[in-house]
Amino acid sequence: MARNLEGVPFPHLLDAGRAEQVAQRVKAAIDHINAAGKFGGLEFYFLEELSALDRQVLAEKRLISPQHAELAPGRAAAIRRDEGVSIMVNEEDHIRLQCLFPGLAIGGAWRLASEIDDWLEQRLPYAYCPRRGYLTACPTNVGTGLRVSVMMHLPALVMSGEARKLFSAITKVGLVVRGLYGEGTEAAGNIFQISNQVSLGVSEEEIIEKIRGVATQIVEQERSARQGLLRQARAKIEDRICRAYGVLSQARIISSEEAIRLWSDVKMGIDLGVLNGADSRPVNEVLVISGPGYIQRLAGRRLDATERDIRRALLIRERMRVYKSP
Amino acid sequence: MARNLEGVPFPHLLDAGRAEQVAQRVKAAIDHINAAGKFGGLEFYFLEELSALDRQVLAEKRLISPQHAELAPGRAAAIRRDEGVSIMVNEEDHIRLQCLFPGLAIGGAWRLASEIDDWLEQRLPYAYCPRRGYLTACPTNVGTGLRVSVMMHLPALVMSGEARKLFSAITKVGLVVRGLYGEGTEAAGNIFQISNQVSLGVSEEEIIEKIRGVATQIVEQERSARQGLLRQARAKIEDRICRAYGVLSQARIISSEEAIRLWSDVKMGIDLGVLNGADSRPVNEVLVISGPGYIQRLAGRRLDATERDIRRALLIRERMRVYKSP
């Protein structure tokens, strides 16, 4: 959700002093929310007070954008302890509010975001035009200021080659497909982010319904592609899954790219029941562990690439121990 | 050991009838040995009475040469039950006697071969010239008719790049380096066969001493190369070993080439103690299991390449179960 303060230039036009003022005003609104005991407590951070490593970890966890992790005056973030809510201050807009829910829980995420938005609005007059809706730094966000995104793991659609055709169809109905870390990133680990392109001239409910409908269809297609692959090439798919399990469980040196690629195969193996009696949380942690920032913060110091690859392999091996050899 | 019968043309000059006669004469000598209860029993096979698959398996086990496995009149083989002794009849020479011993046990192999040779000679007059020694179809084997070979697993010398220099030095002292399956084959799995080049003008004892001396030196060099690799790149070596273990333990489809390549890394891991509490017999079986003939004979029928790769993976997984995850 993109919001801006009435009568204040957009962040890219602010000098340091005024950017700082915006951050202080948002902080006051957050303090007000926390004082009311709402939303489980939002921790407020001025990003310049965090180390570069800490900012990198926030970006790897998708709590702030990679751009926001770079230092600039007045940049701040408010983050709920469970990391399900984050608010970026002075990113592209004064306020970018994000709610992250597991599963296809768009309604829940939307209700929570609206409620937090209402609380913020009690203290912060928004730039709003009755005819155009919420005003934003980039015209594509004007209107509802809402971006609804669904992160989807689609290995079978990629393997079967159906993904490309599907994504081109999705683009035609006004949605956008991006990689794991948002705009301009690769679909590492076969994870795709599907979002609305337009936020003007449609209601929030229409956006949510469209994304929900498309996502449900994609889930069906992915499931049927998986069954198709199993029918046509069971040994090949099982081989791929089991090799990925073998390497993730045993490697002593592993790059972030390889770990995420193998994660995708293991995750599919869990979903298909090839890896038995397993829930997918430990292997999902591989995605966070894989980030270079996370590993260095855990080590408490900068590490060169080889040291990171060795520590990454160790952390992943520990997570993999919960899975029984298939 | 290459031997030929006096007064009979070499095998490539024999017609079917005379080749058959040679086989019958050798069979009679073997029957005589078995009747005397010597050498634990040598099973005699006319190769034309074996299936193509059975002949292929004998070749994969190195009990006969790949050439000998192809059908031709009078070809036969006598094989001891434990497969430590095999005698090819009508290969390049009338008689090729081979003793296979584990470890660097050249003396033991030589004593056994000599004793069997003496027993054969009681019934079979050999083509022998006091000035030239034993006469053979190929002039390179004239003299002692003896080839002493040592099979060596030299992964660290290959990895460190020292193998090439070493082999060129070995060639200069009159020895030959070959791959796993003898003349003209690749050194699959980093297994090399080091043998004497010349068998004329030297005594059997000199040949044995030279091979023993060179092999002992190579063992030392391989050991020191392994320690060197561990010192310089322990994580890299361990990563390679553990990944090989992970893939051999988990793959559902595996080619013969990949299996032998990974065998080499796992075997080195056992020797270096990276894979703990393990003896190397189960992983050594991977070498035999990997052969296409072995898998098909076990299945009792011809299998296409994919079926073989699936069954191979299954057989290897069973062998790998004895090793604990490192």
Side-chain angles (χ1 to χ4, degrees):
Chain A
M1 214 174 246
R3 298 291 184 260
N4 287 278
L5 305 189
E6 203 179 15
V8 183
F10 292 128
H12 65 284
L13 298 171
L14 288 181
D15 60 29
R18 297 193 72 186
E20 187 60 36
Q21 279 170 20
V22 169
Q24 289 295 352
R25 288 176 65 189
V26 177
K27 182 174 186 306
I30 300 285
D31 288 345
H32 163 64
I33 289 173
N34 286 334
K38 292 297 294 178
F39 308 118
L42 296 161
E43 206 86 51
F44 196 91
Y45 304 97
F46 292 100
L47 293 191
E48 61 193 3
E49 292 174 1
L50 298 182
S51 70
L53 216 47
D54 284 337
R55 298 196 305 271
Q56 191 180 344
V57 172
L58 292 179
E60 286 172 7
K61 290 177 164 179
R62 286 178 289 278
L63 296 167
I64 64 174
S65 65
Q67 297 75 27
H68 201 52
E70 290 158 24
L71 276 193
R75 286 194 172 165
I79 296 167
R80 196 170 72 178
R81 276 182 199 88
D82 71 355
E83 303 183 340
V85 175
S86 71
I87 300 167
M88 286 189 280
V89 182
N90 285 321
E91 207 241 18
E92 193 179 287
D93 295 298
H94 294 139
I95 292 170
R96 283 280 180 98
L97 163 61
Q98 162 181 274
C99 294
L100 280 164
F101 273 53
L104 188 58
I106 308 178
W110 160 242
R111 278 189 297 278
L112 178 60
S114 301
E115 222 187 312
I116 298 172
D117 186 43
D118 292 344
W119 274 81
L120 289 173
E121 206 172 3
Q122 291 181 18
R123 295 289 164 119
L124 303 168
Y126 283 159
Y128 183 81
C129 156
R131 214 166 71 84
R132 295 197 181 80
Y134 293 102
L135 302 180
T136 55
C138 178
T140 56
N141 299 317
V142 168
T144 58
L146 183 68
R147 172 167 295 162
V148 176
S149 292
V150 179
M151 303 285 272
M152 309 191 86
H153 180 227
L154 305 173
L157 289 174
V158 171
M159 266 186 254
S160 70
E162 295 167 63
R164 188 184 295 263
K165 216 170 56 195
L166 177 70
F167 294 159
S168 122
I170 288 174
T171 308
K172 281 184 194 129
V173 300
L175 302 184
V176 190
V177 181
R178 296 184 181 84
L180 177 56
Y181 290 99
E183 221 159 321
T185 64
E186 281 288 305
N190 298 313
I191 299 174
F192 297 90
Q193 182 180 327
I194 291 157
S195 327
N196 57 310
Q197 170 94 280
V198 179
S199 80
L200 181 70
V202 282
S203 71
E204 283 90 345
E205 288 72 16
E206 284 169 322
I207 294 171
I208 289 167
E209 273 322 301
K210 182 181 246 177
I211 296 276
R212 199 203 311 272
V214 168
T216 306
Q217 277 179 42
I218 295 175
V219 167
E220 278 315 306
Q221 290 186 41
E222 170 67 19
R223 282 194 179 135
S224 118
R226 288 179 186 190
Q227 293 311 321
L229 285 174
L230 277 187
R231 265 196 314 278
Q232 290 156 34
R234 174 175 284 272
K236 226 167 164 170
I237 298 298
E238 289 184 349
D239 182 58
R240 183 170 165 155
I241 291 166
C242 294
R243 281 171 180 255
Y245 167 85
V247 174
L248 273 191
S249 305
Q250 295 299 340
R252 261 57 183 169
I253 305 179
I254 198 163
S255 71
S256 170
E257 293 70 31
E258 186 184 8
I260 293 176
R261 186 168 54 72
L262 296 175
W263 167 88
S264 174
D265 292 338
V266 169
K267 166 81 168 126
M268 184 173 66
I270 293 167
D271 294 348
L272 288 174
V274 173
L275 296 171
N276 277 319
D279 88 70
S280 49
R281 268 168 303 172
V283 73
N284 287 346
E285 287 185 82
V286 167
L287 290 180
V288 170
I289 290 172
S290 295
Y294 180 87
I295 285 173
Q296 295 180 91
R297 204 178 56 165
L298 205 69
R301 62 180 176 89
R302 289 263 159 214
L303 301 169
D304 67 29
T306 306
E307 289 175 309
R308 290 203 301 269
D309 289 353
I310 291 173
R311 279 173 188 254
R312 180 179 297 115
L314 179 66
L315 292 169
I316 292 175
R317 279 206 304 286
E318 283 168 1
R319 295 308 182 287
M320 295 302 290
R321 266 194 213 126
V322 303
Y323 301 109
K324 267 178 301 209
S325 175
Chain B
M1 216 175 242
R3 298 288 184 264
N4 287 278
L5 304 189
E6 203 178 13
V8 183
F10 292 128
H12 65 285
L13 297 173
L14 288 182
D15 60 29
R18 297 194 72 186
E20 189 59 38
Q21 278 170 22
V22 169
Q24 290 295 353
R25 288 177 65 189
V26 177
K27 182 173 185 309
I30 301 285
D31 288 346
H32 163 64
I33 289 173
N34 286 334
K38 291 298 293 180
F39 309 119
L42 297 162
E43 207 86 50
F44 195 91
Y45 304 97
F46 293 101
L47 293 191
E48 61 193 2
E49 293 174 0
L50 298 183
S51 70
L53 217 48
D54 284 337
R55 298 195 306 270
Q56 192 180 344
V57 172
L58 291 180
E60 287 172 6
K61 291 178 164 178
R62 287 179 288 277
L63 295 168
I64 64 175
S65 65
Q67 297 75 27
H68 201 52
E70 291 157 24
L71 275 193
R75 286 194 174 168
I79 296 168
R80 197 170 72 177
R81 278 183 197 86
D82 71 355
E83 303 182 342
V85 175
S86 72
I87 299 166
M88 289 190 279
V89 182
N90 285 323
E91 205 240 20
E92 193 179 288
D93 294 298
H94 295 141
I95 293 171
R96 283 281 180 100
L97 163 62
Q98 163 181 274
C99 296
L100 280 165
F101 273 54
L104 189 57
I106 308 178
W110 160 242
R111 277 189 297 276
L112 178 60
S114 301
E115 219 185 318
I116 298 172
D117 186 43
D118 291 344
W119 274 82
L120 289 173
E121 208 173 359
Q122 290 180 18
R123 294 288 163 120
L124 303 167
Y126 283 158
Y128 182 81
C129 154
R131 216 166 70 85
R132 296 196 181 79
Y134 293 101
L135 302 180
T136 55
C138 177
T140 57
N141 299 317
V142 168
T144 58
L146 182 68
R147 173 168 296 163
V148 176
S149 293
V150 179
M151 304 284 271
M152 310 190 86
H153 180 228
L154 305 173
L157 289 173
V158 171
M159 268 185 251
S160 70
E162 295 166 64
R164 187 184 295 262
K165 216 169 55 192
L166 177 70
F167 294 160
S168 121
I170 287 174
T171 309
K172 281 184 194 130
V173 300
L175 302 184
V176 191
V177 181
R178 297 185 180 83
L180 178 56
Y181 290 98
E183 221 157 324
T185 64
E186 283 286 305
N190 299 313
I191 299 174
F192 297 90
Q193 182 179 327
I194 292 158
S195 326
N196 57 308
Q197 171 93 280
V198 179
S199 80
L200 181 70
V202 281
S203 71
E204 284 89 345
E205 287 73 16
E206 283 168 322
I207 294 171
I208 290 168
E209 273 322 301
K210 183 181 248 179
I211 296 273
R212 199 205 310 271
V214 168
T216 306
Q217 275 178 44
I218 296 174
V219 167
E220 279 313 306
Q221 289 185 42
E222 170 67 19
R223 282 194 178 136
S224 116
R226 289 179 185 191
Q227 293 310 322
L229 286 174
L230 277 187
R231 265 195 314 277
Q232 289 155 35
R234 173 174 285 270
K236 227 167 163 171
I237 298 299
E238 289 184 351
D239 182 58
R240 182 169 168 156
I241 291 166
C242 294
R243 281 172 180 252
Y245 167 86
V247 174
L248 273 190
S249 306
Q250 295 299 339
R252 263 56 183 168
I253 305 179
I254 198 163
S255 71
S256 169
E257 294 69 30
E258 187 185 8
I260 293 176
R261 187 168 53 72
L262 295 175
W263 167 88
S264 174
D265 292 339
V266 169
K267 165 81 168 128
M268 183 174 65
I270 294 167
D271 294 345
L272 288 174
V274 173
L275 296 170
N276 278 318
D279 88 71
S280 49
R281 266 167 304 173
V283 73
N284 287 346
E285 286 185 83
V286 167
L287 290 179
V288 171
I289 290 172
S290 295
Y294 180 88
I295 285 174
Q296 295 181 94
R297 205 181 53 168
L298 205 69
R301 61 180 178 90
R302 289 264 160 213
L303 302 169
D304 68 28
T306 306
E307 289 175 308
R308 289 202 302 269
D309 289 353
I310 291 173
R311 280 173 187 255
R312 180 180 297 114
L314 178 67
L315 292 170
I316 291 175
R317 280 206 303 289
E318 284 169 1
R319 295 309 181 286
M320 294 303 290
R321 266 194 213 127
V322 303
Y323 301 109
K324 268 179 301 215
S325 174

